[in-house]
Amino acid sequence: MPSVNWDDPVAPMDPDLAAAADAADGFMPADEGAALYAAAVRAAPLGPLLEIGTYCGKSAIHLAAAARTAAMGPGHVVTIDHHRGSEEHQPGWEYHDPTLWDDRAGRLDTLGRARATLDHADLADEVVMIVGGSVEVGALWDRPLGLVFMDGGHTEQAARADYETWARHVAPGGLLVIHDVFEDPAAGGQAPFRVWCRAVDSGRFVPREHAGQGSLRVLQHRP
Ligand code: SAH
Ligand code: MG
């Protein structure tokens, strides 16, 4: 059984791929993306790397680059998003991008941009993009995952449903990575932090503080 190797350092991501991630639209600062990449390189031998919340594919570049570094072959990264945006991406909200509006559907559509992001980085082969709701896809899922990256809906209800749906699919010794964890309510919404607390309180996950960066937190399933 492979296990996460915390001892050996992970070399930084290929500079061209880091530049592609920088240039992509989205919400993954470079330093947090680097931590996601390193965690994903370590977890890749344990099973597929799954992301909830693809948006335009920025964080998916980090996961796909990690799968390539770990030489896992095509399709080792699975991304899930209904590609209609979260609350804060809708018209009139803080993070709305009008260039992502789909006139025909009368809704946001981030799928085309996400696909273009991965094509442009030449990482499309590494990724299976699933278009659908996280809970609905979870109902079809039955396979241990090396890493689950939670970055979907940030309402209390959405974050909790994602945790309840996906945390149980983390392989023994695998990693659960949560984005936008803010302990201080003044710094940001509390739903991801409460999920982090829930994971710790469950006794099934051990925080790996050294592997995190900023609001990106890494937990390891007890083997
Ligand atoms: N990881 C991205 C940012 C994700 S933003 C980056 O690197 O930039 C959050 C995404 O979660 C949005 O694209 C939204 O459509 C998606 N999302 C929100 N709720 C969801 C749900 N229930 N199921 C699937 N995707 C969801
Ligand atoms: Mg995020």
Side-chain angles (χ1 to χ4, degrees):
M1 250 281 242
S3 59
V4 168
N5 172 0
W6 293 112
D7 298 331
D8 300 333
V10 173
M13 192 161 131
D14 173 278
D16 288 343
L17 296 181
D22 268 349
D25 296 316
F27 310 98
M28 181 51 63
D31 58 340
E32 299 184 3
L36 176 62
Y37 169 78
V41 170
R42 296 185 196 283
L46 278 71
L49 311 169
L50 182 132
E51 160 175 277
I52 306 150
T54 313
Y55 192 63
C56 298
K58 195 179 184 81
S59 48
I61 290 186
H62 296 94
L63 295 174
R68 182 176 287 173
T69 297
M72 300 315 299
H76 200 66
V77 175
V78 178
T79 64
I80 301 173
D81 200 312
H82 46 47
H83 287 282
R84 297 304 191 189
S86 299
E87 237 176 22
E88 66 272 20
H89 305 130
Q90 303 308 317
W93 289 69
E94 194 178 354
Y95 295 103
H96 179 60
D97 174 350
T99 69
L100 292 168
W101 190 253
D102 175 355
D103 259 336
R104 182 193 52 83
R107 304 173 79 176
L108 216 65
D109 184 1
T110 59
L111 177 59
R113 191 79 58 90
R115 164 164 270 188
T117 299
L118 293 171
D119 280 346
H120 177 71
D122 192 24
L123 287 169
D125 288 350
E126 268 70 17
V127 184
V128 174
M129 295 176 67
I130 299 183
V131 182
S134 151
V135 171
E136 290 75 8
V137 177
L140 305 170
W141 198 266
D142 183 18
R143 172 157 185 195
L145 295 162
L147 180 147
V148 169
F149 175 50
M150 283 187 54
D151 196 21
H154 284 10
T155 64
E156 196 63 39
Q157 198 191 7
R160 192 173 166 147
D162 287 346
Y163 173 76
E164 266 154 25
T165 302
W166 290 104
R168 67 198 151 93
H169 295 299
V170 178
L175 303 181
L176 175 66
V177 181
I178 309 175
H179 197 219
D180 305 305
V181 174
F182 300 107
E183 278 186 60
D184 176 4
Q190 293 292 284
F193 175 58
R194 274 195 276 272
V195 163
W196 182 84
C197 294
R198 220 175 157 72
V200 175
D201 291 347
S202 75
R204 289 187 294 131
F205 291 95
V206 186
R208 297 294 183 208
E209 304 292 4
H210 61 282
Q213 175 67 43
S215 76
L216 187 113
R217 299 281 189 99
V218 178
L219 300 122
Q220 185 172 23
H221 194 286
R222 284 182 200 280

